[in-house]
Amino acid sequence: MSNLVLMPILIPFFGAIFLMLLPRKVMVQRTIALITSVVLILANIYLVYYVYQNGIVAVTLGNWPAPFGISIVGDMLAILLVTTTSLILFSTLLYSFYSIGMPRERFLYYPSVLFMIVGVNGSFLTGDIFNLFVFFEVMLMASYVLLVLGGTKVQLKATVKYLLINVIGSAFLVMAIALLYSMIGTLNMADISQKIANIHGGNTGMITVVAVLFLFVFGLKAGIFPLYFWLPGSYFAPPIPVLALFGGLLTKVGVYAIIRFYTLFFYNETSFALPLLSTLAIITIVLGVIGAISYYDMKTIMIYNILIAVGVILFSVSLMTREAMTGAIFYLIHDMLIKGTLFLVIGVIIAITGFSSIKRFSGLMSVKPSLGWTFFIGALGLAGIPPLSGFIGKLLIVEGAFAVQHYVGGIIVLLSSLFVLLSMMKIFSKGFWGEKKGTFTLDIPYRKMMVPVLILLAISVAYGIFSEGMYPLIDKAVDPLVDPSIYIQAVLGE
Amino acid sequence: MELLMSILIGLMFMAATYLILSKSLLRIILGTAILSHGVNLLILTMGGLKKGKAPLLDTPGLPAYNDPLPQALILTAIVISFGVTAFFLVLAYRAYQELDSESVSKTRGHEADDE
């Protein structure tokens, strides 16, 4: 039964393999990809139930005892993130059918998407640091292909930069793993955690150096200050469904890796690494806010909103209290859902108006009021207005920050919500209200494009309204984060 | 021996950094290749360079074996960086065709329609 935890990796993997056999049959590609994602959702929902009933499922591949084989660990946090990933995958695939275009679909678009999901799910579930590197590479290779697929000039330019940054990042990740291996002598996460705590008391200088090196690597993937410089340019290039996948998933894998590493290995680094993380996170929020309010381009505004969310989550992780951690997990899942939704909404707007700059059009409300109100609800959710999904996470984060007397951070998180709302309302008021300006193409399959958007939005609204019901799950996800011995026990089984 | 290797790896990182900071895309790719060589040597060095047998079960000779784990890690890392480098080279070729230049100064800007 514990082999079930491999399903989130195996289902998209076999889906992708099968799709590579029939690259030119577009209808087959669409059907199989969609079926794969539905099966993935069902498997994940069952896994959530299973982990809720039985606690962490850990399986060490090939029947080797735990520290010697590769462990796949499904704790509640990983399973919840994998489930969110599959929901975003489903909606993005539905959206792709009507927007990505035949040429891309005929050149291995769907297999690439599924391979990226393999990498993302694997990164969430793995319990071995070198295996984490391999899954990162699976994810990144697929993302290079998705970024460049279509071969327009702007995509080529962006891919050159994105690829170079990630090659360097991966080299540093291997370097950090090599340094950690030379000190600890193991690659299994639970075992590393135990040995760092036992041998060194977690307080030697080299451990701090490695902690900062890992922060550098995962910060590069997640886009924190001062390592986010590649993100606005690269994310501007790909078509909307790919952008929704990237914005919803890729940076969040970096965030997840930081959460996992800092709660499991480096929770004792209170003298240097944790204050560094908290400072960088706060600066990230501030710079993200500056970017979000200074542009008039919808995609760029949303891309800077990714940075703000990454900053907020990492700030609350750096506090290392139970309350702040609960807030971080609430906010992480909310953010994946809402970013997916909003990128897709913006895609519909661009499909109708032809421009992504809100200076080029206005008065969209008179043509498509339903689109306007969809965007409005999504924007309020992003800013964290009470009944919607962003509220509870931010509330817990701010409470957590005030509880440990980190007033500066708490107030900056609060103020950032205001500016997020400002940047989103700028799009709403300039693009949707006012005199009708610009040419609107209305012969797009509007209703079909709105279905995936509304599915994601409905999930996100429900997540906000029924956050009381989500609480037991999130609570279970936080347990191993604040008490690593639960995780270690589940993997090493002592 | 580890000290000597560390100095060598340091030199390789230095060369890689210098090449990656240059203008030509081909030099940058050479830089990433040297970087991945440096990293692979680092794994080997960090695993320890004690004198032991090759990790094959029936080799005669010295009493102990070398650590087999770093060798497996390197093998994985080599294949991955080979794949990425091949992709990068083809990408550079396409960028050369499309942008008529192999200088990275041509890859600036992302043409936001913001004006």
Side-chain angles (χ1 to χ4, degrees):
Chain A
M1 272 315 266
S2 62
N3 283 344
L4 267 178
V5 74
L6 292 171
M7 285 301 132
I9 302 171
L10 290 183
I11 292 169
F13 179 70
F14 284 117
I17 297 277
F18 185 75
L19 286 184
M20 285 177 78
L21 302 176
L22 300 163
R24 300 288 181 269
K25 302 242 189 301
V26 172
M27 280 323 289
V28 178
Q29 296 265 319
R30 289 179 178 179
T31 321
I32 303 284
L34 202 63
I35 290 173
T36 310
S37 72
V38 171
V39 174
L40 189 60
I41 291 175
L42 295 178
N44 286 332
I45 289 173
Y46 182 71
L47 264 176
V48 171
Y49 170 76
Y50 187 81
V51 173
Y52 184 68
Q53 294 290 325
N54 303 328
I56 299 174
V57 245
V59 50
T60 305
L61 303 180
N63 237 348
W64 294 91
F68 303 114
I70 290 173
S71 298
I72 301 288
V73 187
D75 67 335
M76 194 45 119
L77 173 59
I79 300 292
L80 283 177
L81 292 178
V82 162
T83 312
T84 318
T85 303
S86 63
L87 293 173
I88 293 173
L89 170 70
F90 175 74
S91 307
T92 317
L93 282 176
L94 268 185
Y95 189 88
S96 302
F97 297 163
Y98 304 104
S99 72
I100 198 77
M102 276 293 179
R104 282 192 174 92
E105 284 180 286
R106 288 161 61 86
F107 281 92
L108 301 173
Y109 171 75
Y110 295 113
S112 307
V113 169
L114 290 182
F115 272 125
M116 198 177 91
I117 298 300
V118 174
V120 170
N121 284 352
S123 309
F124 285 143
L125 288 171
T126 187
D128 179 288
I129 52 173
F130 198 77
N131 199 233
L132 179 76
F133 161 72
V134 175
F135 275 123
F136 259 100
E137 287 303 310
V138 172
M139 172 183 92
L140 289 172
M141 271 300 250
S143 74
Y144 305 149
V145 174
L146 284 175
L147 190 56
V148 82
L149 193 67
T152 60
K153 260 184 195 173
V154 57
Q155 282 180 300
L156 285 168
K157 286 178 182 179
T159 312
V160 167
K161 287 177 247 178
Y162 179 75
L163 212 163
L164 179 62
I165 287 298
N166 280 307
V167 166
I168 297 170
S170 302
F172 274 86
L173 177 54
V174 179
M175 205 186 296
I177 290 171
L179 289 175
L180 193 60
Y181 179 71
S182 76
M183 281 183 288
I184 307 294
T186 178
L187 295 169
N188 185 295
M189 288 187 187
D191 205 23
I192 293 173
S193 169
Q194 211 174 28
K195 286 193 169 141
I196 286 183
N198 284 351
I199 300 169
H200 301 283
N203 257 329
T204 61
M206 260 324 266
I207 297 287
T208 309
V209 171
V210 172
V212 174
L213 202 51
F214 275 117
L215 179 61
F216 170 78
V217 172
F218 296 134
L220 195 67
K221 316 270 182 204
I224 65 172
F225 170 81
L227 306 164
Y228 70 88
F229 51 87
W230 56 273
L231 198 141
S234 302
Y235 278 23
F236 191 81
I240 287 293
V242 177
L243 178 58
L245 278 175
F246 281 22
L249 306 178
L250 288 195
T251 52
K252 306 304 180 295
V253 179
V255 171
Y256 168 80
I258 293 180
I259 294 178
R260 183 59 81 205
F261 275 53
Y262 273 74
T263 54
L264 201 55
F265 306 158
F266 307 127
Y267 51 89
N268 275 332
E269 299 297 321
T270 42
S271 60
F272 187 76
L274 280 172
L276 179 71
L277 176 61
S278 121
T279 317
L280 292 183
I282 289 173
I283 301 176
T284 309
I285 299 175
V286 173
L287 289 175
V289 161
I290 292 174
I293 57 175
S294 61
Y295 283 91
Y296 283 91
D297 188 284
M298 290 186 292
K299 279 202 264 182
T300 317
I301 292 173
M302 279 306 296
I303 288 167
Y304 278 100
N305 271 310
I306 297 178
L307 294 182
I308 301 173
V310 166
V312 168
I313 296 165
L314 288 182
F315 165 69
S316 66
V317 168
S318 75
L319 298 173
M320 287 287 160
T321 63
R322 191 183 178 91
E323 194 172 33
M325 210 65 88
T326 315
I329 306 306
F330 258 116
Y331 201 75
L332 181 57
I333 294 170
H334 142 76
D335 191 61
M336 290 168 79
L337 289 171
I338 204 80
K339 287 280 149 59
T341 318
L342 283 170
F343 275 121
L344 294 184
V345 177
I346 284 174
V348 180
I349 301 176
I350 293 174
I352 291 177
T353 62
F355 291 107
S356 70
S357 168
I358 43 177
K359 286 183 172 174
R360 300 286 183 99
F361 63 89
S362 59
L364 199 51
M365 198 54 114
S366 61
V367 186
K368 287 278 180 230
S370 53
L371 180 63
W373 295 117
T374 310
F375 179 83
F376 184 68
I377 295 171
L380 290 187
L382 182 68
I385 304 294
L388 298 169
S389 59
F391 173 68
I392 183 79
K394 235 171 211 171
L395 177 72
L396 288 168
I397 291 170
V398 172
E399 272 183 8
F402 285 165
V404 295
Q405 266 121 39
H406 203 311
Y407 294 113
V408 180
I411 287 168
I412 283 181
V413 169
L414 280 178
L415 282 179
S416 79
S417 301
L418 208 60
F419 286 108
V420 168
L421 190 62
L422 175 66
S423 72
M424 296 318 285
M425 285 306 120
K426 188 166 73 178
I427 298 179
F428 188 60
S429 63
K430 286 214 178 220
F432 285 95
W433 297 110
E435 290 291 309
K436 212 172 143 188
K437 187 176 105 187
T439 47
F440 299 139
T441 29
L442 294 173
D443 57 343
I444 58 165
Y446 175 74
R447 290 206 176 144
K448 288 173 180 167
M449 283 167 98
M450 283 305 276
V451 169
V453 174
L454 291 175
I455 291 174
L456 266 190
L457 188 70
I459 293 169
S460 142
V461 169
Y463 178 73
I465 292 172
F466 302 112
S467 48
E468 193 78 38
M470 283 296 288
Y471 191 80
L473 299 180
I474 307 272
D475 200 45
K476 240 188 161 58
V478 173
D479 279 340
L481 299 183
V482 289
D483 183 8
S485 65
I486 299 174
Y487 185 95
I488 296 168
Q489 178 117 34
V491 179
L492 299 180
E494 278 149 22
Chain B
M1 192 61 190
E2 273 90 349
L3 182 68
L4 207 63
M5 286 294 275
S6 304
I7 293 169
L8 174 71
I9 294 163
L11 287 173
M12 291 178 92
F13 282 168
M14 200 175 72
T17 313
Y18 180 75
L19 283 172
I20 286 171
L21 292 176
S22 64
K23 260 198 164 176
S24 150
L25 200 49
L26 270 182
R27 279 166 180 264
I28 290 175
I29 297 174
L30 285 178
T32 59
I34 294 178
L35 185 67
S36 65
H37 286 328
V39 167
N40 290 339
L41 281 179
L42 184 76
I43 307 178
L44 197 67
T45 314
M46 286 293 132
L49 296 171
K50 296 172 289 289
K51 281 198 182 109
K53 285 189 281 188
L56 296 168
L57 272 179
D58 52 355
T59 42
L62 295 161
Y65 291 100
N66 275 333
D67 190 350
L69 194 57
Q71 304 186 8
L73 302 189
I74 291 172
L75 196 59
T76 314
I78 286 175
V79 182
I80 289 174
S81 76
F82 177 74
V84 175
T85 308
F87 187 84
F88 203 171
L89 280 168
V90 176
L91 180 72
Y93 179 62
R94 273 291 287 156
Y96 172 70
Q97 286 181 325
E98 201 76 18
L99 308 171
D100 285 327
S101 161
E102 61 122 25
S103 163
V104 280
S105 57
K106 283 274 168 146
T107 64
R108 253 185 291 174
H110 60 74
E111 292 153 10
D113 45 36
D114 221 12
E115 293 76 43

